[in-house]
């Protein structure tokens, strides 16, 4: 039976592989776990693969840990970003141990997914709360990152051709704040932090003022000061210089985020920033196809004659 399942999981037909995945929820097949983990990368297979791994429980934890590790070139496979969700669904102490380690992953996407999964698991199993000692540090790191993203967005407001980059920075900032409020929900389980987040981020007038007042009365110390300062205020007035914008673009190219790098290159090309040409030239050799192709386009925009 296990040999047949393995063969079906490797079948060329997606419908056959999907049926085999669903069968592994009922039939234990440890030899199939590496195959199932790889299938997390396929959108059509993801949910069935996740449920199959949950059914296998701790048998799949080590394979999931390996899938969340970077390859020899330092890059993560697509399945890696889906590992935290599956570990959280398994919910065992072994799975939780791996999940805690991913809270400090170097890759932003993996770390963000781990924070989401940990927060969801701790809401369901508050007894595990004492096993994560650095929730406040994680929260403050996300607050700091959101503050940096807001500052970057302010710097580009005046520069033409940066709409895509500014939208990306704002989306990233809001993602940071969503994780901040998820962590606050764990630290203050008696509060509906999701409702407060909506009031602060999406509300207006009295709704927003009331949400901020609740935070002001609830939060203390460094969290209070850093979250309720300029972070939640409107963006600053447009101002800056080409030199400052170029320095910011260079700094953003160091971030481990291919889409963000592509947006930076797009802004450099739209703005025809000759000062950013060295970074554009370097990005033209990137192993990331999107980054490489955007760099080639930006180089053409910057170097073309009027």
């Amino acid at each position: 039976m296990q040999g047949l399942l393995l063969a079906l999981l490797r079948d060329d037909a997606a419908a056959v592989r999907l049926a085999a995945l669903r069968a592994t929820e009922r039939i234990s097949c440890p030899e199939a776990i590496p195959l199932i983990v790889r299938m997390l990368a396929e959108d059509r297979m993801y949910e069935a693969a996740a449920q199959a791994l949950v059914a296998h429980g701790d048998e799949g934890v080590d394979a999931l840990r390996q899938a969340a590790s970077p390859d020899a070139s330092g890059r993560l496979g697509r399945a890696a970003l889906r590992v935290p969700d599956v570990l959280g669904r398994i919910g065992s102490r072994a799975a939780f141990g791996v999940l805690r380690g991913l809270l400090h992953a170097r890759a932003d996407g993996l770390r963000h997914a781990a924070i989401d999964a940990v927060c969801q698991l701790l809401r369901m199993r508050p007894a595990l709360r004492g096993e994560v000692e650095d929730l406040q540090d994680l929260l403050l790191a996300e607050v700091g990152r959101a503050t940096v993203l807001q500052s970057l967005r302010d710097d580009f407001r005046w520069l033409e051709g940066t709409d895509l980059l500014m939208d990306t920075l704002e989306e990233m900032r809001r993602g940071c704040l969503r994780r901040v409020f998820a962590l606050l929900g764990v630290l203050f389980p008696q509060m509906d932090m999701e409702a407060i987040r909506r009031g602060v981020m999406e509300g207006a007038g009295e709704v927003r003022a009331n949400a901020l007042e609740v935070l002001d009365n609830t939060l203390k110390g460094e969290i209070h000061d850093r979250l309720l300062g300029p972070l939640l205020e409107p963006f600053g007035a447009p101002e800056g210089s080409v030199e400052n914008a170029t320095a910011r673009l260079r700094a953003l190219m160091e971030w481990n985020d291919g889409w963000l790098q592509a947006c930076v290159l797009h802004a450099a090309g739209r703005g025809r920033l000759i000062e950013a040409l060295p970074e554009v030239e370097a990005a033209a050799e990137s192993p990331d196809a999107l980054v490489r192709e955007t760099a080639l386009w930006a180089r053409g925009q910057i170097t073309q004659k009027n």
Side-chain angles (χ1 to χ4, degrees):
M1 176 64 74
Q2 291 190 359
L4 176 60
L5 270 178
L6 290 171
L8 294 174
L9 287 169
R10 296 188 179 100
D11 197 275
D12 291 336
V16 173
R17 297 200 307 277
L18 185 59
L21 272 176
R22 289 171 176 159
T24 61
E25 293 180 43
R26 303 182 299 276
I27 303 171
S28 177
C29 186
E31 293 83 358
I33 287 174
L35 280 173
I36 298 172
V37 170
R38 287 199 292 273
M39 293 168 80
L40 291 173
E42 302 179 50
D43 291 340
R44 182 176 177 181
M45 305 294 166
Y46 171 62
E47 187 57 37
Q51 291 179 12
L53 289 166
V54 170
H56 280 80
D58 281 350
E59 288 181 315
V61 168
D62 189 57
L64 286 165
R65 178 187 58 76
Q66 293 178 38
S69 301
D71 61 21
S73 65
R75 303 182 68 184
L76 291 170
R78 188 176 180 189
L81 300 182
R82 293 173 165 177
V83 164
D85 174 56
V86 180
L87 289 169
R89 293 200 214 181
I90 293 173
S92 67
R93 290 200 172 273
F96 189 51
V98 175
L99 196 51
R100 286 203 314 269
L102 296 179
L103 290 172
H104 304 284
R106 183 174 180 272
D108 291 341
L110 184 56
R111 186 176 65 255
H112 298 164
I115 291 174
D116 290 340
V118 164
C119 288
Q120 183 172 350
L121 183 57
L122 292 180
R123 284 194 295 269
M124 294 187 298
R125 298 180 59 187
L128 294 173
R129 164 69 180 82
E131 298 187 24
V132 186
E133 300 175 352
D134 53 357
L135 284 177
Q136 180 167 317
D137 292 339
L138 289 168
L139 188 154
L140 289 173
E142 290 296 316
V143 170
R145 188 175 178 84
T147 304
V148 169
L149 289 165
Q150 175 168 313
S151 175
L152 288 167
R153 192 177 187 277
D154 284 348
D155 282 341
F156 294 125
R157 283 171 64 86
W158 66 276
L159 192 64
E160 292 185 7
T162 60
D163 292 351
L164 178 61
L165 176 58
M166 287 178 60
D167 287 347
T168 298
L169 292 172
E170 175 62 4
E171 182 179 351
M172 292 173 68
R173 186 187 81 100
R174 286 181 171 271
C176 287
L177 291 178
R178 181 182 56 76
R179 289 185 292 276
V180 164
F181 280 95
L183 289 162
L184 285 173
V186 175
L187 293 171
F188 300 93
Q190 73 279 14
M191 309 289 293
D192 186 350
M193 284 296 174
E194 175 55 22
I196 295 172
R197 183 198 68 79
R198 290 196 301 269
V200 171
M201 301 302 298
E202 302 167 13
E206 187 175 350
V207 172
R208 187 171 189 272
N210 289 340
L212 287 171
E213 183 178 0
V214 171
L215 286 178
D216 188 33
N217 292 330
T218 302
L219 305 181
K220 307 296 179 185
E222 188 176 6
I223 294 177
H224 175 281
D225 296 341
R226 290 179 59 182
L227 187 58
L228 291 181
L231 180 62
L232 297 179
E233 296 302 318
F235 291 115
E239 58 179 315
S241 65
V242 171
E243 292 77 12
N244 190 42
T246 303
R248 292 292 205 176
L249 289 172
R250 286 173 178 156
L252 284 175
M253 286 301 295
E254 299 297 322
W255 289 35
N256 186 27
D257 187 317
W259 171 248
L260 178 61
Q261 290 177 355
C263 292
V264 169
L265 293 164
H266 180 266
R270 286 282 305 276
R272 302 187 69 179
L273 295 176
I274 188 67
E275 296 84 358
L277 188 57
E279 286 70 31
V280 172
E281 294 280 11
E285 304 297 326
S286 171
D288 186 307
L290 177 62
V291 172
R292 185 172 62 251
E293 291 171 10
T294 309
L296 292 172
W297 170 84
R299 182 171 64 187
Q301 295 296 306
I302 293 171
T303 58
Q304 74 178 2
K305 296 181 180 179
N306 292 326

